[in-house]
């Protein structure tokens, strides 16, 4: 079953050639447009990768700072607890000292004795 196409007239052949030429041109233009869009997207992807890397590094730095601040805060809390404990110990010592020296509130017997020079 060999089917041959009918021969085209010169006018038909010229029209077909022109139609094919326009079709190839539109395909070439579309290909160029897509290739340019691809290059733009690749450039944008690279830019975004660089930005992402920069943000990741910045995030790591911030996490390090946060970790350091948390460590400092923990140390400060521990020091604060130690100082509170020392303060309680000192307050207890002061209370004990005050209870030992209660007699200071009363006049000594020597101070109350009458002057012996007049007797």
């Amino acid at each position: 079953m060999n089917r041959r196409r009918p021969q085209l007239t010169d006018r038909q052949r010229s029209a077909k050639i022109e139609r094919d030429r326009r079709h190839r041109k539109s395909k070439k233009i579309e290909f160029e447009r897509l290739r340019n869009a691809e290059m733009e997207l690749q450039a944008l992807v690279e830019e975004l990768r660089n930005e992402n890397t920069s943000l990741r590094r910045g995030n790591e730095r911030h996490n390090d700072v946060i970790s350091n601040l948390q460590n400092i805060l923990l140390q400060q809390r521990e020091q604060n607890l130690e100082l509170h404990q020392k303060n309680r110990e000192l307050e207890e010592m002061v209370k004990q000292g005050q209870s030992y020296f209660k007699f200071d509130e009363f006049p000594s017997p020597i101070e109350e004795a009458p002057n012996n020079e007049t007797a």
Side-chain angles (χ1 to χ4, degrees):
M1 295 215 146
N2 191 3
R3 286 188 162 188
R4 288 185 57 150
R5 294 183 189 183
Q7 291 288 335
L8 300 175
T9 64
D10 288 343
R11 187 175 208 172
Q12 291 173 326
R13 194 176 13 244
S14 292
K16 181 182 184 314
I17 290 170
E18 185 58 33
R19 207 172 39 248
D20 290 348
R21 186 177 295 138
R22 281 194 306 263
H23 181 72
R24 283 191 306 272
K25 184 177 181 182
S26 72
K27 290 293 181 184
K28 183 178 179 182
I29 289 171
E30 180 66 10
F31 176 78
E32 288 296 323
R33 187 187 70 74
L34 290 173
R35 187 166 57 178
N36 289 339
E38 179 189 21
M39 288 189 301
E40 288 175 13
L41 289 173
Q42 285 177 345
L44 182 60
V45 164
E46 187 61 29
E47 183 180 328
L48 291 173
R49 280 185 183 142
N50 291 338
E51 184 176 348
N52 191 29
T53 300
S54 174
L55 290 171
R56 191 179 311 113
R57 287 181 183 148
N59 191 32
E60 289 169 359
R61 282 191 305 270
H62 290 128
N63 286 341
D64 289 344
V65 168
I66 288 170
S67 178
N68 287 339
L69 290 173
Q70 286 173 335
N71 288 338
I72 290 170
L73 183 61
L74 183 61
Q75 290 172 356
Q76 292 294 319
R77 284 181 180 157
E78 289 172 358
Q79 286 178 356
N80 197 19
L81 287 174
E82 289 174 10
L83 289 173
H84 278 298
Q85 181 62 32
K86 286 180 183 178
N87 190 31
R88 275 188 243 119
E89 291 171 2
L90 289 172
E91 286 176 350
E92 187 61 33
M93 289 173 66
V94 167
K95 284 180 184 177
Q96 287 177 355
Q98 286 175 345
S99 69
Y100 289 139
F101 299 109
K102 283 271 188 197
F103 65 88
D104 282 349
E105 294 176 10
F106 303 102
S108 72
I110 298 172
E111 293 173 357
E112 290 179 3
N115 194 345
N116 287 339
E117 294 175 8
T118 58

